[in-house]
Amino acid sequence: MNLSSYTLLITYFIASLGYSALFMVRGVGAPFALAAGGSAALSLLFNLRGAGAVRDTLWNFFAVLALLFFVTDYLLLSGSLIVSAARFITLLLTLKLFGLKKNSDYLVVFGLVFFQLVAAATSTVSPFFFLILTLFVLSGIWATIMFTVKKDWQDSSQKELPSIEFGWPFFISVIFISFVSIIVTLLLFFVIPRMGLGLMDHKAENTHKVTGFSDRVNLGDIAPFKTDSTVIMRVSPEGVPRGLIYLKGSTFDHYDGMTWSKPVKSEVLLKKAPDGRFYFRPMGRKRPALVLNIVLEPLDSEYIFSSSGAFALSGQFRHLWLESSGGALHLPSPPFTAIEYWVHTESSPLKEGTADRRYLDISYMDGTPEGERIRGLARSIVMGEKDDNKKAWKIQTYLKKNFRYNLNPPARGSDPLADFLFSTKEGYCQHYATAMAVLLRAAGVPSRVVNGYQQGEWNDLGNYFIVRQSDAHSWVEANIDGSWLTFDPTPSALAAARPSRLFLYLDYWRLRWNRHIINFSLDDQRDLAGSIEGGASRLLSVLKDPMTLIRSSSGRTFLTVLFIAAAVFVFKAVRRNAAGNRAGRTPAFYIEMTRILKKKGIRRRPDETPLEFA
């Protein structure tokens, strides 16, 4: 294979990395990316057949059309500079692949692919992007060598480009140099101080759309998301959970027959305590029962999630808002990337005082036949019970036993709640939570509806729960004896299929990527420096008293492995020295040259000197 073919193939490999990165720019669209990739494959056949490059005038004409497309796309279609720029760069790359004629054309291709990777880097935090970037570094070094050899040959000779075979030593050397570059880059990544200035703190292109966390939620909004398997967060419990974990997002206290809302919305800016926590409820006398470590994916909502009994939250963010009317927590704006934080909970219910009268409001039913039927149903369920806690359990049991879970319930009337209670008797979590909250209020128990997520499925590889969009859930909080207690009247749905082992491994890798790369902070650097300092001090103590290493079993194992490695190294060095002596210290380049010539059928006779052979 000659140098031109080598250069062409490595150029198309690099271009394929650019098209792969294009799929990570959310908003570009799979049809556009597939069409561009198909055109690039067609250009490869075009170049292999030697059809000749597209003329510069024609290429410039199409480049102007691509520029006009970029302006139109940004102003009328996408509205996103990143998406429009990624499409524009991809169009230029595809056009240039049809016009590979001069050495500068190859350089333009490399530059366009680099900008494709930059566009992907600004809109994704996927670990697969790191794989593409690593391959780009490896192939970029290889392409630079090919391009330099080709250019030097053309500058020094007018002859046809030679056929060249690059052996394994050359290939391994390139790989080694590339990995050294990557390792040095990673070391710089961990060493350079984190500033945390928030310069890139804007809405990302890869944020996940969620519902149920605004000021108004219609009955039925959650249904389309119950079949979405997108991962929303990962929750690692530090302790033993008591029952299911409910991850609380937003609360609602007003229902008008169709929509839940929160007309009274008072917020408090929480200040971080000296211990790094945001305290939003007074801590009781008992010790914390559970700490939840949550890694939250980028969402298009500013709400973050706590749990029942939570009294404090800690994380790397500087500001946190508390909705005093419902206990919901949110950041000043939606997070740009995945965030990690800890929720601190207490085992006993937290006393918060008597609930406001608005948590008993069902005035929308006054004077309506449906309202009278609902009030009568509440009286028949509680049967004159005086204890609020027993009332709540009776209503929850009634709904669980007499109704069926269905994501697509039939609609037969204008009042969805009355339709659910008396007609269809089928629905999903929003129907059950609304029904229980209204029945509790009709029975004289203050209540509110909570939107959030259930704990999801367990990943035993990292000991954490994978919470998906399909785990979106609504439940009820009832104020009983001054404490808001959690009730969930929704019967269990059909169990989802267990994820494959491969998915669990990939998800565990992604979690580690988010924790140790994406969210690597100044505090992590301090912890890393402290670990290194601690290890160095232990090493110094061992050097001062070597017997401590010999006395421990792990120390003896380490010394044994070190002795074996040293023995193998010495043995190989002696053999290499003996072989060198036997060869009369022949230069390595001469041995390599004779080996290559021997493959070509040219052998030196025993009676020939090196000069005669030359």
Side-chain angles (χ1 to χ4, degrees):
M1 185 181 295
N2 62 30
L3 273 173
S4 290
S5 300
Y6 265 119
T7 308
L8 184 65
L9 291 180
I10 195 65
T11 300
Y12 270 89
F13 178 77
I14 292 176
S16 68
L17 296 177
Y19 289 110
S20 301
L22 189 66
F23 284 94
M24 297 184 181
V25 183
R26 180 168 295 190
V28 167
F32 177 86
L34 291 173
S39 301
L42 184 64
S43 72
L44 176 60
L45 297 176
F46 181 83
N47 287 305
L48 289 176
R49 291 183 177 180
V54 175
R55 292 183 178 181
D56 290 341
T57 53
L58 186 59
W59 191 93
N60 292 334
F61 172 74
F62 283 117
V64 171
L65 291 181
L67 179 61
L68 294 176
F69 171 78
F70 164 70
V71 176
T72 305
D73 183 22
Y74 177 65
L75 295 178
L76 302 179
L77 299 177
S78 71
S80 169
L81 184 60
I82 293 176
V83 173
S84 300
R87 288 174 178 166
F88 174 60
I89 292 169
T90 302
L91 288 177
L92 292 182
L93 174 62
T94 306
L95 290 172
K96 180 52 68 177
L97 290 175
F98 280 97
L100 295 176
K101 180 171 58 176
K102 299 175 291 187
N103 290 330
S104 59
D105 296 329
Y106 291 91
L107 295 178
V108 170
V109 169
F110 301 154
L112 291 173
V113 172
F114 172 76
F115 284 112
Q116 279 183 315
L117 295 181
V118 171
T122 60
S123 59
T124 184
V125 293
S126 171
F128 294 104
F129 175 76
F130 179 72
L131 176 62
I132 292 177
L133 183 61
T134 301
L135 292 175
F136 177 75
V137 172
L138 294 173
S139 56
I141 294 175
W142 186 278
T144 302
I145 295 173
M146 297 293 101
F147 182 78
T148 303
V149 172
K150 178 174 177 286
K151 184 176 182 301
D152 289 347
W153 181 271
Q154 290 174 335
D155 291 343
S156 62
S157 173
Q158 299 299 322
K159 296 180 181 178
E160 184 180 352
L161 292 172
S163 295
I164 296 180
E165 293 184 8
F166 296 95
W168 281 106
F170 174 76
F171 179 74
I172 293 174
S173 300
V174 172
I175 296 295
F176 176 75
I177 293 171
S178 304
F179 272 108
V180 168
S181 303
I182 294 171
I183 291 172
V184 171
T185 304
L186 286 176
L187 290 176
L188 291 174
F189 171 82
F190 288 109
V191 169
I192 294 175
R194 272 12 188 204
M195 301 303 293
L197 296 176
L199 297 177
M200 297 294 290
D201 216 12
H202 57 275
K203 183 177 179 181
E205 293 296 330
N206 66 327
T207 53
H208 302 303
K209 180 177 176 57
V210 293
T211 189
F213 309 110
S214 59
D215 291 341
R216 296 177 62 86
V217 176
N218 296 318
L219 202 62
D221 282 350
I222 289 181
F225 293 84
K226 294 292 288 182
T227 56
D228 187 351
S229 61
T230 303
V231 176
I232 296 298
M233 72 184 92
R234 296 163 181 86
V235 181
S236 304
E238 300 174 8
V240 180
R242 298 176 61 185
L244 288 175
I245 297 175
Y246 290 89
L247 300 158
K248 178 178 178 178
S250 185
T251 60
F252 301 91
D253 53 59
H254 179 72
Y255 183 63
D256 62 5
M258 296 292 292
T259 302
W260 280 101
S261 60
K262 35 190 169 185
V264 179
K265 186 179 178 182
S266 57
E267 296 181 334
V268 177
L269 177 61
L270 300 177
K271 295 183 179 180
K272 185 178 289 189
D275 61 358
R277 297 180 183 180
F278 293 93
Y279 289 91
F280 47 88
R281 288 190 182 93
M283 181 179 172
R285 294 181 179 179
K286 294 189 178 182
R287 298 180 63 184
L290 185 67
V291 177
L292 299 178
N293 173 236
I294 298 179
V295 178
L296 186 66
E297 291 291 309
L299 306 180
D300 65 352
S301 170
E302 67 272 15
Y303 281 93
I304 59 176
F305 302 89
S306 60
S307 65
S308 300
F311 63 89
L313 187 145
S314 57
Q316 295 299 322
F317 30 82
R318 292 171 291 179
H319 303 292
L320 188 63
W321 289 89
L322 169 69
E323 292 182 4
S324 54
S325 59
L329 298 164
H330 66 83
L331 300 171
S333 61
F336 166 68
T337 184
I339 59 173
E340 181 179 15
Y341 60 96
W342 288 261
V343 177
H344 306 268
T345 69
E346 211 173 34
S347 57
S348 60
L350 298 172
K351 295 290 184 180
E352 301 183 53
T354 305
D356 192 277
R357 291 293 301 174
R358 69 176 180 274
Y359 294 108
L360 289 170
D361 179 31
I362 47 174
S363 57
Y364 84 95
M365 298 192 309
D366 294 345
T368 64
E370 292 84 1
E372 290 303 316
R373 292 185 69 186
I374 293 173
R375 286 189 171 95
L377 177 62
R379 288 192 296 268
S380 66
I381 294 173
V382 299
M383 295 290 290
E385 179 65 60
K386 301 298 182 184
D387 184 86
D388 286 351
N389 191 42
K390 291 181 180 179
K391 288 180 183 179
W393 280 105
K394 283 187 175 183
I395 293 173
Q396 176 177 277
T397 303
Y398 173 80
L399 293 172
K400 278 181 174 287
K401 285 186 175 181
N402 296 285
F403 293 76
R404 192 167 68 91
Y405 189 90
N406 186 0
L407 274 177
N408 299 293
R412 297 175 183 174
S414 58
D415 188 328
L417 178 57
D419 200 29
F420 169 72
L421 286 173
F422 304 113
S423 180
T424 64
K425 294 190 176 183
E426 295 181 357
Y428 46 92
C429 58
Q430 277 189 313
H431 295 91
Y432 286 91
T434 299
M436 183 170 182
V438 172
L439 289 172
L440 280 171
R441 293 182 178 189
V445 181
S447 62
R448 62 193 183 197
V449 166
V450 182
N451 283 351
Y453 292 89
Q454 282 183 316
Q455 64 189 24
E457 56 202 6
W458 182 251
N459 188 339
D460 59 338
L461 297 174
N463 295 326
Y464 64 91
F465 291 103
I466 303 172
V467 181
R468 302 174 182 270
Q469 190 76 274
S470 56
D471 296 312
H473 195 55
S474 295
W475 62 94
V476 175
E477 286 185 346
N479 189 276
I480 298 174
D481 297 330
S483 299
W484 287 101
L485 303 183
T486 297
F487 294 90
D488 187 359
T490 307
S492 299
L494 293 176
R498 175 70 180 167
S500 66
R501 203 65 179 170
L502 176 60
F503 171 81
L504 294 180
Y505 275 109
L506 292 176
D507 191 79
Y508 176 69
W509 179 37
R510 185 183 182 93
L511 174 64
R512 293 300 176 190
W513 172 264
N514 284 332
R515 280 184 176 174
H516 302 303
I517 301 297
I518 301 301
N519 293 318
F520 190 74
S521 64
L522 185 59
D523 289 339
D524 294 320
Q525 286 183 314
R526 292 195 190 102
D527 294 339
L528 180 61
S531 300
I532 295 174
E533 184 179 0
S537 63
R538 287 191 294 271
L539 178 60
L540 287 175
S541 64
V542 169
L543 293 177
K544 291 178 181 178
D545 185 10
M547 293 304 297
T548 57
L549 188 64
I550 298 174
R551 283 193 292 266
S552 64
S553 59
S554 58
R556 289 194 295 272
T557 303
F558 172 74
L559 290 175
T560 303
V561 173
L562 185 62
F563 175 77
I564 294 173
V568 171
F569 177 78
V570 171
F571 177 72
K572 287 189 173 183
V574 170
R575 287 192 58 185
R576 193 183 303 112
N577 189 43
N581 290 332
R582 287 195 302 270
R585 298 190 182 277
T586 304
F589 73 87
Y590 186 81
I591 297 175
E592 178 70 10
M593 183 193 72
T594 55
R595 185 186 65 79
I596 295 174
L597 289 175
K598 192 178 294 184
K599 280 187 176 181
K600 302 293 184 181
I602 304 172
R603 300 173 181 270
R604 184 172 70 89
R605 297 195 310 272
D607 60 320
E608 279 185 313
T609 66
L611 181 60
E612 291 172 339
F613 180 55

